[in-house]
Amino acid sequence: MLGHIGPYYRVKLKPSDLISPDFIRGYIQTSTVVALSIDERIDTGDVLAIDGQGILVLSLCKDTYEVLGLVGEQAMFPLQPNARHIVRIDLKANTMDQTKKHYQRIKSRFEAVLDREMEFVIGRYDRDTGKSLNLDIPGATVCEPAVEEFHMRDIWMPETSRLFDIQAGARKDDEWSQLATDVFEWIGMASSGPHRLLSAAGASTKIAAAAAVVRDTRTYSVPEPRTRESFSSVSVSGLLSAGAIRRLADELGGDGSPNAPDTILCVWGHEDAPVSWASSEHNFLISGENMYAQFRRPSCNQCVIFQACGPWDTFS
Amino acid sequence: MFYDLNIALPEAAGKPNGSMSSQEWARVIQTIEQARELGYGVVALNQVISGKLTPDHLKIWTTMPNMSNAQLSWSLQTGKRTLKECGSVSKVSRNSIRVLRRVTALISEADHGHSVSGTATSNEYDLVAVRPLNEKMLMAASGGSWTNIDMISLDMAARWGFFAKHKTVGQALSLGYALEISYQGALDSSTRHQWVSNTAAVVRVTRGRNLVWTSGVQRAFDLRSPYDVTNLGDAVQLNKDLTKRGVSENARALLVHAFTRTGTLRAAVAVSENKRAMKEDGAPNKRARIEMR
């Protein structure tokens, strides 16, 4: 199932390398490129990203923007006016041809102001399949996404039949909302690792003894009504393309058979990325979460989605 | 960038010809390093003086040991200020921290305020703050009696004996002064209630504008991360955005204001070194232009 998830790259580049004709012709125009600078935090420094649509997004603090001299728009976050600016450069546009004045202006400003090397994580993916492609940049380190899996049996889980006992678009009552919150809280605990669920289980002597070994403080207990379930968890961390995640979601859904097991897909965006879902602006107040979790039940052909975006995210 | 513009030096450092032992300087350096670990990019060492500011107060700064991964705003040999460009205030190399000098004058009489306002000695400091000890001095400071100061600091953990009034504080804000909130008083359970009361009063009269949040601590253990400070604002009914400004944008604006005070002529003209003015061999380039800002 994870065979199509391939490597990404860590490399130190100058921002002017991202707008070089070779990079644009060789990678931006032929494939999907996603990149994010990881040197600095979004609320304290300058962050650069390529959003996968060929747009280079620069989230710049006041000092850098004023010296850079490129046209951008005032960022919505922080709320103070002119504290931060976003500059978007369409790398696929005709004006980014190296003979055009627009390109030369951008290049000269990048070389004059953004002249230090920044560390990037970059992924290059096939546009149709989302498969990872090679990136030939000197000094690039190949990184494989980290995969962890665990299996658990007879673990308490909130009862979920009522969760899907609702029509799409129907008004949700408080009881349903509380149930959904309990379920997704459990999903968060499960995604944190088996030790969290071991300490919460208390279902049998063996599990309680294991919890004592783990020495985890039991602050969470599975709410009633609850059932005993078994599940397998696979965690993939690294830079993944949207196409790869979409393909993973499709494979989790199986062949559409009503007898297929329930699946849960959780996706987290990077907390320091300048763009969030649907190219929304993203920043970091005291947290930068931008995640969603999908709970699919093929037997009733329904899916419940929980979305969480931090306060400084225009998608929320 | 996050700023902590008040890392307190011991009391002995505030006396003319004061001295600090090597252990005390080691503790200060440890606090600076802890601030860097917590994510602060710029810190200011605060020398609290009572009485008049004299050139003898500057001697302590040459006794600081060398520190790796720190960019000091003064020379350890001469004690003179080396920060020449406004942009350098907030430009910090990665894995480094900028250390500034700050003086806070305890003002009980008007004479004390004049000694920190616009003198050659006070211009050696990157930040000049006053701490009025009574309401009359607070009104004098807020009214602009001493023009060359940057910040008004009040002891949040102490009982003031007067109320912070909209009119008084509003005057200070209109003159571009910042008001400091040090969270050190919140760390001690015996002063916490007074800290909350005073801070809430300041937040109410300022409506969260021009507030700069600082630590005011001496020990590394007492430092808090910028995000913890952001959460602390909830205790005094200040929303997180405004509190976070107090450790970021407002502090930066304060440093720009301070630089304007010392590095420019009437905030209109600044003369900076033009590297193009010199040829490679050091001879002056006759085609150099003076940059006007």
Side-chain angles (χ1 to χ4, degrees):
Chain A
M1 186 167 57
L2 301 177
H4 63 283
I5 292 179
Y8 61 98
Y9 300 83
R10 285 174 85 113
V11 61
K12 288 197 174 179
L13 288 175
K14 291 188 178 177
S16 52
D17 294 336
L18 296 177
I19 60 168
S20 67
D22 291 339
F23 188 86
I24 293 176
R25 263 200 307 273
Y27 302 128
I28 300 289
Q29 291 178 347
T30 59
S31 54
T32 298
V33 174
V34 175
L36 177 67
S37 66
I38 54 175
D39 279 1
E40 300 195 40
R41 307 292 300 268
I42 186 105
D43 56 347
T44 58
D46 305 320
V47 175
L48 279 64
I50 299 177
D51 67 352
Q53 314 294 329
I55 308 288
L56 174 62
V57 180
L58 293 85
S59 177
L60 304 174
C61 57
K62 182 179 167 69
D63 292 326
T64 309
Y65 177 73
E66 288 177 348
V67 174
L68 187 63
L70 295 179
V71 175
E73 56 194 28
Q74 183 179 311
M76 282 199 64
F77 309 109
L79 300 176
Q80 185 172 8
N82 294 322
R84 197 158 194 90
H85 287 81
I86 308 288
V87 176
R88 293 179 201 271
I89 300 171
D90 186 354
L91 298 175
K92 292 183 179 173
N94 294 333
T95 49
M96 288 303 289
D97 183 83
Q98 60 178 335
T99 58
K100 304 283 185 184
K101 281 188 180 175
H102 176 75
Y103 173 82
Q104 288 163 11
R105 161 84 180 151
I106 292 174
K107 183 168 182 282
S108 69
R109 295 318 299 156
F110 270 37
E111 288 172 349
V113 178
L114 301 176
D115 56 348
R116 67 173 178 88
E117 280 192 339
M118 301 170 81
E119 188 168 7
F120 287 87
V121 287
I122 301 184
R124 182 177 172 230
Y125 310 98
D126 184 273
R127 280 180 183 158
D128 299 317
T129 63
K131 188 182 168 193
S132 181
L133 301 174
N134 281 338
L135 198 68
D136 186 19
I137 296 179
T141 307
V142 179
C143 303
E144 293 287 343
V147 179
E148 293 178 10
E149 58 180 288
F150 62 89
H151 311 274
M152 301 208 71
R153 288 184 163 189
D154 294 334
I155 293 295
W156 286 123
M157 181 180 172
E159 220 285 319
T160 56
S161 58
R162 168 106 164 77
L163 190 68
F164 294 92
D165 187 21
I166 189 167
Q167 295 298 319
R171 191 177 175 83
K172 283 88 176 170
D173 57 19
D174 291 342
E175 194 183 328
W176 186 92
S177 299
Q178 182 60 45
L179 172 62
T181 304
D182 290 341
V183 169
F184 284 98
E185 187 178 20
W186 182 90
I187 291 173
M189 293 291 287
S191 62
S192 298
H195 58 283
R196 287 285 185 184
L197 292 175
L198 269 178
S199 65
S204 69
T205 307
K206 277 188 186 175
I207 295 176
V213 168
V214 169
R215 291 200 189 96
D216 202 358
T217 305
R218 187 186 299 193
T219 58
Y220 171 78
S221 62
V222 182
E224 302 274 0
R226 57 190 188 183
T227 57
R228 294 228 199 142
E229 304 286 349
S230 300
F231 74 93
S232 300
S233 168
V234 177
S235 160
V236 183
S237 55
L239 190 66
L240 306 177
S241 70
I245 296 173
R246 191 166 42 243
R247 188 167 160 182
L248 185 63
D250 291 340
E251 288 188 8
L252 279 176
D255 55 3
S257 160
N259 297 325
D262 294 347
T263 56
I264 300 170
L265 175 68
C266 303
V267 180
W268 280 270
H270 199 284
E271 61 184 10
D272 285 317
V275 290
S276 173
W277 313 111
S279 300
S280 317
E281 185 187 319
H282 177 77
N283 207 307
F284 190 105
L285 178 56
I286 53 170
S287 63
E289 69 267 13
N290 49 0
M291 63 85 65
Y292 66 83
Q294 290 181 348
F295 191 151
R296 297 182 176 200
R297 178 155 289 178
S299 59
C300 50
N301 198 26
Q302 282 191 319
C303 172
V304 177
I305 301 177
F306 174 80
Q307 260 175 347
C309 282
W312 279 5
D313 191 316
T314 55
F315 189 73
S316 60
Chain B
M1 180 88 58
F2 292 122
Y3 303 76
D4 184 356
L5 300 180
N6 186 351
I7 291 183
L9 293 180
E11 262 189 62
K15 296 184 170 55
N17 295 313
S19 63
M20 283 170 56
S21 64
S22 54
Q23 286 92 344
E24 286 172 327
W25 273 122
R27 208 173 300 131
V28 168
I29 289 173
Q30 186 184 27
T31 308
I32 296 172
E33 286 173 351
Q34 177 69 7
R36 183 180 60 213
E37 289 292 323
L38 289 174
Y40 291 98
V42 178
V43 296
L45 300 182
N46 186 17
Q47 186 182 18
V48 179
I49 66 163
S50 53
K52 294 186 179 178
L53 179 66
T54 64
D56 292 335
H57 285 98
L58 289 171
K59 291 180 181 171
I60 185 109
W61 296 104
T62 56
T63 64
M64 179 173 175
N66 265 322
M67 198 182 153
S68 60
N69 292 335
Q71 302 166 30
L72 304 184
S73 69
W74 71 99
S75 163
L76 287 176
Q77 283 74 41
T78 62
K80 296 286 183 186
R81 202 157 162 258
T82 57
L83 205 60
K84 296 296 182 194
E85 292 189 7
C86 183
S88 303
V89 156
S90 54
K91 195 179 292 183
V92 183
S93 312
R94 270 179 295 167
N95 301 322
S96 181
I97 189 168
R98 182 170 288 287
V99 183
L100 307 178
R101 288 190 296 190
R102 168 183 159 173
V103 63
T104 300
L106 302 179
I107 308 286
S108 55
E109 299 172 10
D111 286 349
H112 301 163
H114 290 305
S115 70
V116 295
S117 175
T119 61
T121 308
S122 67
N123 285 344
E124 287 296 325
Y125 289 90
D126 302 292
L127 273 177
V128 175
V130 293
R131 178 170 288 180
L133 297 179
N134 52 54
E135 187 174 14
K136 187 177 170 188
M137 291 300 106
L138 174 61
M139 289 172 67
S142 302
S145 297
W146 313 299
T147 50
N148 288 331
I149 63 171
D150 304 310
M151 183 156 60
I152 296 175
S153 168
L154 294 167
D155 187 355
M156 294 294 164
R159 193 177 169 84
W160 290 342
F162 56 85
F163 293 106
K165 296 176 184 168
H166 277 283
K167 189 178 174 185
T168 308
V169 173
Q171 264 187 317
L173 298 183
S174 65
L175 291 173
Y177 299 150
L179 258 76
E180 179 187 23
I181 296 179
S182 275
Y183 60 76
Q184 184 212 10
L187 302 175
D188 186 352
S189 56
S190 62
T191 58
R192 192 171 297 147
H193 70 285
Q194 193 66 57
W195 183 89
V196 171
S197 170
N198 291 339
T199 306
V202 169
V203 166
R204 190 175 57 249
V205 298
T206 60
R207 298 188 187 94
R209 292 173 298 151
N210 277 30
L211 290 177
V212 173
W213 286 72
T214 63
S215 63
V217 301
Q218 292 188 21
R219 299 184 306 162
F221 185 73
D222 293 331
L223 275 175
R224 298 293 179 267
S225 85
Y227 301 108
D228 288 337
V229 176
T230 304
N231 282 324
L232 187 57
D234 283 344
V236 291
Q237 297 186 326
L238 187 64
N239 70 51
K240 288 185 172 58
D241 175 62
L242 289 173
T243 314
K244 195 173 180 183
R245 282 188 213 179
V247 288
S248 54
E249 287 99 22
N250 289 355
R252 179 195 168 277
L254 172 64
L255 292 181
V256 172
H257 177 277
F259 180 82
T260 306
R261 170 175 56 80
T262 56
T264 67
L265 177 64
R266 299 184 188 277
V269 177
V271 178
S272 61
E273 183 185 302
N274 186 349
K275 291 187 173 60
R276 290 177 297 177
M278 309 296 288
K279 294 181 182 175
E280 286 180 2
D281 58 1
N285 186 348
K286 292 182 181 175
R287 290 190 174 185
R289 295 174 295 168
I290 296 176
E291 294 182 353
M292 305 289 286
R293 294 185 194 172

